[in-house]
Amino acid sequence: MARTYHWTAQVSDGKHHDGESAGTVRAGSEAEARTLVADWVRQDGIRKGAKRPWTASNIQLT
């Protein structure tokens, strides 16, 4: 059964610390939630026209 997780993550392009992002995600496990958050951050960087791929680190789930 899917659960709703609230998350925060540090976002970086590998060269600069770009800040923090937060949101909610529905997933069946914490591992799946972390994967979904990392994918969302990467895609958000693409949507915003980032020249370098964004990555999420220090993902906190509650």
Side-chain angles (χ1 to χ4, degrees):
M1 186 167 126
R3 178 178 168 205
T4 300
Y5 293 92
H6 299 277
W7 60 270
T8 59
Q10 299 296 315
V11 178
S12 174
D13 67 359
K15 190 172 185 178
H16 303 96
H17 169 73
D18 295 323
E20 187 174 87
S21 188
T24 58
V25 64
R26 286 190 56 81
S29 68
E30 283 195 20
E32 181 184 5
R34 290 178 189 281
T35 299
L36 291 170
V37 170
D39 287 345
W40 184 88
V41 167
R42 182 183 54 78
Q43 292 173 9
D44 194 40
I46 292 169
R47 281 190 298 274
K48 292 182 178 177
K51 294 179 182 174
R52 300 163 64 91
W54 287 5
T55 58
S57 62
N58 195 24
I59 299 171
Q60 301 292 317
L61 300 172
T62 56

